[in-house]
């Protein structure tokens, strides 16, 4: 696992506890609503022995195939220097695109589609998790039923409000709380299994096959509820870079998997003994005296699950910006020790708005569960396809049995996605619509930046021509100091800001640096490779600063950490001026994108935060020069 700069290596025990707190929050709270939805959801089932054993068998084997085998054993092998997730897969496969011109566009489409669907999941998960926990009050204290919605909204508003404070202090509590949660899940399960041990027969897969054969279409549609038991499985892979594969896998096999299975089977045992407990099988497993403490613990666990998804949305957004799929946004780093702890104010407000709207619109966890799952299963399917490409093009797998296993994963993913398609009319349209909008934004920005690069290149002056025409000119003043001109695209041409400065001010600083920022298809770039510089001529330097797609783009820090030999000149912070181009995008009739996407790109460009903020440049050392570009 690649550690971010400035972060000390954590002990294996700390990583194990941290993984329990961050990675498993979502899947760890799924017992709150999954079994109830299997029997009382959009496609209700009779609560009898055959159906209970059939559903439990489907849940057990779904968790085994998708999480234990697909993600923990196979998918987590596909990592980009320790980092996982759809964007890490995209970066890996882009490196394998040489000689396969069709591969990068396909991979980009799949990776961005998966990232876009993740945002749909990021809005539903906090709403359904917290609401399902607080609904336990209806069992513990029926008189408080009318307060379920207000309490849920208050918790969610508070959760989004504290994001600006960061998770450094609260994060250390997540792991221990989730350990207690999983232990309680296991105890509740064992307590009820002991009363009806017959339920353990559901470990046999033939009960799942019998259920599907006996129920036909209804049995198939029941998969739309069964899949709720594996939502959050994608987090194991997406969060791998934070903790590494071994702690995540060990936490799964030693605690999370046994606790989940015991709890689901305990709920099934309760239903066998008392079918009326379907009203809320999770909370009715507990003795009466433990209901209120259990509601409180469940509320805390769902807040942790929600925090993990929100933090994941921040991380995905930061990666998308670095890879060039989103415009710059204001990013705040909330911890001096952990670089991965970031806060994006605009995104936080937007997600909070959607989550609150979902709670007010759907009002119950059962209604939300009817819309939950389609975005998750879409992401799972895309991940399987991309991992298969990695196996073929990077790992060089030749074993037919290995591809048969990947084929099994894809069949399972497609089956779950198809079963969830029935949820579209019951609210599943929301995460799909949100994902489609975000996909459009991501692809439009990437295409728009390509067009801007092409327009820049058309009218740019090569460095050689610039040197020949400017150096030695008597009309040019060479004041003391260092001027750094930023260009994110043109490495062999003169930045527009430098041309405008010469045109209007006839000034070329004594030390002039043409700086390009390069974001590589790896998570982190070592400090030794961070900066390369070459002396062009007479005080003019060509410099490249490289970052990984998960690195913090802080230019002054990179310059301060570099040696004079690396830079080629003496670094004096108070004698440096940074010159930036402030682009104004103008939609035109020139070939490029359709008019609506050009207008959308222009709006995104206007809405982007400044390069000064994104690259952490000192406010009093920045000069911005305007520039219009037609696309």
């Amino acid at each position: 696992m690649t550690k971010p700069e400035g972060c000390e290596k954590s002990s294996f025990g700390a990583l194990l506890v941290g993984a329990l707190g961050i990675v498993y929050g979502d899947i760890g709270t799924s017992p709150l609503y999954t079994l109830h939805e299997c029997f009382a959801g959009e496609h209700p089932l009779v609560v009898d022995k055959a159906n209970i054993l059939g559903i439990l068998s489907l849940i057990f084997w779904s968790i085994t195939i998708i999480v234990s085998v697909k993600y923990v054993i196979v998918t987590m092998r596909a990592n980009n220097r320790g980092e996982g997730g759809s964007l890490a897969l995209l970066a890996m496969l882009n490196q394998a695109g040489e000689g396969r011109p069709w591969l990068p566009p396909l991979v980009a489409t799949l990776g961005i589609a998966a990232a876009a669907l993740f945002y749909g999941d990021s809005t539903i998960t906090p709403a359904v998790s917290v609401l399902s926990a607080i609904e336990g009050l209806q069992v513990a204290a029926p008189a408080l039923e009318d307060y379920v919605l207000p309490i849920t909204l208050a918790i969610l508003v508070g959760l989004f409000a504290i994001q600006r404070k960061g998770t450094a202090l609260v994060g250390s509590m997540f792991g221990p709380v989730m350990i207690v949660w999983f232990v309680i899940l296991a105890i509740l399960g064992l307590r009820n299994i002991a009363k009806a041990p017959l339920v353990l027969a559901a470990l046999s897969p033939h009960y799942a096959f019998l259920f599907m054969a006996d129920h036909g279409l209804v049995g198939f549609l029941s998969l739309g509820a069964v899949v709720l038991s594996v939502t959050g499985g994608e987090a194991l892979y997406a969060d791998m870079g934070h903790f590494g594969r071994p702690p995540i896998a060990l936490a799964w096999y030693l605690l999370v998997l046994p606790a989940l299975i015991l709890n689901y089977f305990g709920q099934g045992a309760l239903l066998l003994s008392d079918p009326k407990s379907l009203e809320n099988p999770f909370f009715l497993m507990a003795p009466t005296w433990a209901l209120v403490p259990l509601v409180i613990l469940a509320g805390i666990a769902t807040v942790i699950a929600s925090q993990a998804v929100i933090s994941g949305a921040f991380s995905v957004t930061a990666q998308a910006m670095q890879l060039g799929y989103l415009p710059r946004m204001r990013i705040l780093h909330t911890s001096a020790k952990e670089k991965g702890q970031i806060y994006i104010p605009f995104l936080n407000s937007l997600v909070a708005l959607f989550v609150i709207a979902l709670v007010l619109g759907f009002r119950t966890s059962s209604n939300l569960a009817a819309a939950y799952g389609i975005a998750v299963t879409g992401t799972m399917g895309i991940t399987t396809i991309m991992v298969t490409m990695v196996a073929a093009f990077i790992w060089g797998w030749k074993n037919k049995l290995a591809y048969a296993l990947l084929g099994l994963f894809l069949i399972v993913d497609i089956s779950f996605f198809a079963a969830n398609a029935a949820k579209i009319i019951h609210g599943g349209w929301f995460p799909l619509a949100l994902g489609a909008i975000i996909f459009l934004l991501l692809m439009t920005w990437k295409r728009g930046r390509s067009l801007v690069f092409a327009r820049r290149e058309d009218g740019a002056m090569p460095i050689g021509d610039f040197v020949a025409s400017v150096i030695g000119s008597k009309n040019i003043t060479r004041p003391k100091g260092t001027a750094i001109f930023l260009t994110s695209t043109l490495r062999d041409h003169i930045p527009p800001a430098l041309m405008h400065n010469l045109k209007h001010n006839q000034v070329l600083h004594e030390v002039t640096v043409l700086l390009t920022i390069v974001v590589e298809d790896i998570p982190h770039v070592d400090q030794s490779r961070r900066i390369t510089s070459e002396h062009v001529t007479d005080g003019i330097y060509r410099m490249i600063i490289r970052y990984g797609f998960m690195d913090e783009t802080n230019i002054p820090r990179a310059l301060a950490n570099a040696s004079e030999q690396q830079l080629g000149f003496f670094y004096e912070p108070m004698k440096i001026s940074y010159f930036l181009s402030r682009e104004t995008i103008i939609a035109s009739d020139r070939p490029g994108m359709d008019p609506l996407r050009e207008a959308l790109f222009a709006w995104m460009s206007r809405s982007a935060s400044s390069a000064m903020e994104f690259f952490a440049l000192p406010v009093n050392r920045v000069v911005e020069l305007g520039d219009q570009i037609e696309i």
Side-chain angles (χ1 to χ4, degrees):
M1 179 179 64
T2 305
K3 296 292 292 180
E5 292 173 27
C7 296
E8 297 180 2
K9 187 176 181 180
S10 302
S11 68
F12 186 84
L15 291 172
L16 188 69
V17 174
L20 283 166
I22 300 299
V23 176
Y24 292 111
D26 191 358
I27 196 170
T29 53
S30 58
L32 284 165
Y33 46 80
T34 298
L35 204 64
H36 174 271
E37 288 308 307
C38 288
F39 286 93
E42 294 297 321
H43 309 284
L45 299 169
V46 176
V47 184
D48 60 22
K49 174 184 172 183
N51 287 345
I52 292 171
L53 295 180
I55 289 293
L56 287 177
S57 186
L58 283 170
I59 289 175
F60 173 75
W61 287 103
S62 295
I63 292 174
T64 299
I65 293 173
I66 293 178
V67 184
S68 296
V69 180
K70 174 187 166 181
Y71 279 108
V72 177
I73 295 178
V74 179
T75 304
M76 290 177 70
R77 288 189 58 201
N79 64 83
N80 188 359
R81 301 196 182 189
E83 298 293 338
S86 61
L87 293 182
L89 281 173
L90 186 158
M92 286 178 67
L93 288 167
N94 276 341
Q95 298 172 26
E98 186 176 350
R100 304 181 183 96
W102 55 270
L103 184 60
L106 175 60
V107 167
T109 302
L110 290 172
I112 296 305
L117 287 172
F118 176 79
Y119 286 99
D121 181 39
S122 299
T123 57
I124 291 188
T125 294
V128 69
S129 298
V130 176
L131 189 53
S132 63
I134 304 306
E135 282 174 347
L137 286 174
Q138 297 170 354
V139 177
L144 298 178
E145 182 176 353
D146 293 339
Y147 294 93
V148 168
L149 215 57
I151 292 174
T152 299
L153 291 172
I155 291 174
L156 289 170
V157 169
L159 174 62
F160 284 99
I162 65 170
Q163 293 303 310
R164 67 180 67 247
K165 302 295 184 181
T167 58
L169 295 177
V170 183
S172 61
M173 299 173 56
F174 283 5
V177 170
M178 292 308 294
I179 290 174
V180 173
W181 172 253
F182 286 119
V183 170
I184 295 298
L185 289 186
I187 292 173
L188 289 175
L190 284 169
R191 179 176 179 269
N192 285 270
I193 291 171
K195 298 176 182 178
L198 171 65
V199 76
L200 295 175
L203 293 171
S204 172
H206 89 276
Y207 283 102
F209 289 114
L210 286 175
F211 174 84
M212 297 298 289
D214 290 343
H215 289 79
L217 180 60
V218 173
F220 178 75
L221 294 175
S222 295
L223 293 177
V226 171
V227 76
L228 298 176
S229 65
V230 296
T231 55
E234 188 78 14
L236 277 71
Y237 181 47
D239 289 330
M240 183 169 55
H242 295 289
F243 305 102
R245 183 183 180 188
I248 292 176
L250 192 62
W252 171 253
Y253 289 119
L254 287 185
L255 180 59
V256 181
L257 175 61
L260 290 176
I261 298 303
L262 287 172
N263 193 266
Y264 281 123
F265 277 62
Q267 291 185 48
L270 178 64
L271 291 177
L272 280 174
S273 304
D274 180 16
K276 293 182 180 179
S277 62
L278 180 62
E279 176 191 355
N280 198 321
F282 177 82
F283 286 102
L284 289 174
M285 278 198 301
T288 304
W289 61 266
L291 283 174
V292 173
L294 184 59
V295 171
I296 295 173
L297 180 60
I300 296 172
T302 54
V303 166
I304 293 173
S306 302
Q307 176 63 61
V309 173
I310 295 167
S311 299
F314 291 156
S315 179
V316 168
T317 301
Q319 290 183 49
M321 279 189 279
Q322 294 285 54
L323 291 173
Y325 286 95
L326 275 176
R328 293 183 297 265
M329 297 184 202
R330 185 183 178 208
I331 297 179
L332 302 179
H333 292 261
T334 59
S335 172
K337 296 180 180 179
E338 300 292 337
K339 294 182 69 174
Q341 291 188 12
I342 61 175
Y343 168 65
I344 304 177
F346 173 76
L347 182 65
N348 187 67
S349 300
L350 194 63
V351 174
L353 181 65
F354 281 130
V355 170
I356 291 170
L358 283 170
V359 172
L360 292 173
F362 287 84
R363 305 190 70 82
T364 69
S365 63
S366 184
N367 291 338
L368 277 166
Y372 193 31
I374 192 162
V376 177
T377 52
T379 304
M380 288 179 174
I382 292 172
T383 297
T384 299
I385 293 171
M386 296 180 75
V387 170
T388 302
M389 291 181 178
V390 170
F393 303 135
I394 298 179
W395 296 342
W397 279 11
K398 303 297 183 184
N399 192 317
K400 293 181 180 179
L401 289 177
Y403 284 108
L405 180 63
L406 291 170
L408 172 63
F409 296 155
L410 189 58
I411 290 172
V412 172
D413 291 335
I414 291 174
S415 298
F416 278 127
F417 183 80
N420 275 275
K423 294 183 176 182
I424 292 176
I425 60 174
H426 299 292
W429 58 268
F430 178 82
L432 287 182
L434 182 60
I437 292 171
I438 293 172
F439 179 82
L440 176 64
L441 292 173
L442 294 171
M443 298 303 282
T444 296
W445 183 257
K446 186 70 170 180
R447 173 60 179 159
R449 292 309 301 171
S450 297
L451 292 174
V452 168
F453 173 79
R455 303 293 183 260
R456 289 273 196 211
E457 197 167 30
D458 288 344
M461 176 182 288
I463 291 179
D465 294 348
F466 172 82
V467 171
S469 62
V470 172
I471 298 302
S473 172
K474 296 180 180 180
N475 296 324
I476 303 299
T477 303
R478 300 293 299 268
K480 292 184 178 181
T482 300
I484 296 180
F485 293 85
L486 269 69
T487 170
S488 60
T489 52
L490 305 176
R491 306 184 193 183
D492 300 317
H493 296 76
I494 298 302
L498 177 53
M499 297 303 297
H500 287 307
N501 193 42
L502 278 172
K503 178 180 179 181
H504 296 290
N505 301 321
Q506 290 81 49
V507 167
L508 184 68
H509 283 68
E510 184 179 44
V511 176
T512 299
V513 181
L514 312 180
L515 173 61
T516 296
I517 305 299
V518 176
V519 178
E520 299 189 352
D521 285 342
I522 57 176
H524 306 286
V525 170
D526 293 333
Q527 183 60 38
S528 61
R529 293 185 53 243
R530 178 77 72 204
I531 292 178
T532 56
S533 178
E534 62 173 310
H535 186 207
V536 178
T537 184
D538 195 16
I540 299 178
Y541 296 85
R542 185 76 190 85
M543 182 185 295
I544 297 175
I545 299 182
R546 291 180 171 83
Y547 293 102
F549 60 79
M550 295 191 72
D551 284 328
E552 179 185 357
T553 50
N554 188 313
I555 291 177
R557 182 182 298 166
L559 296 176
N561 289 337
S563 64
E564 185 175 348
Q565 183 178 1
Q566 283 179 297
L567 297 177
F569 58 90
F570 182 66
Y571 175 68
E572 297 180 273
M574 299 310 297
K575 292 186 178 181
I576 289 180
S577 297
Y578 298 90
F579 288 80
L580 312 176
S581 294
R582 169 64 79 169
E583 297 174 345
T584 300
I585 305 299
I586 301 174
S588 70
D589 295 331
R590 300 179 68 172
M593 294 186 290
D594 61 74
L596 287 178
R597 289 185 68 194
E598 287 185 353
L600 176 62
F601 175 73
W603 171 77
M604 293 175 73
S605 182
R606 291 193 300 271
S607 303
S609 65
S610 69
M612 175 185 69
E613 196 170 44
F614 188 74
F615 293 117
L617 304 178
V619 177
N620 60 345
R621 309 300 303 175
V622 172
V623 178
E624 286 192 330
L625 300 173
D627 189 26
Q628 291 188 341
I629 301 175
E630 288 188 354
I631 59 171

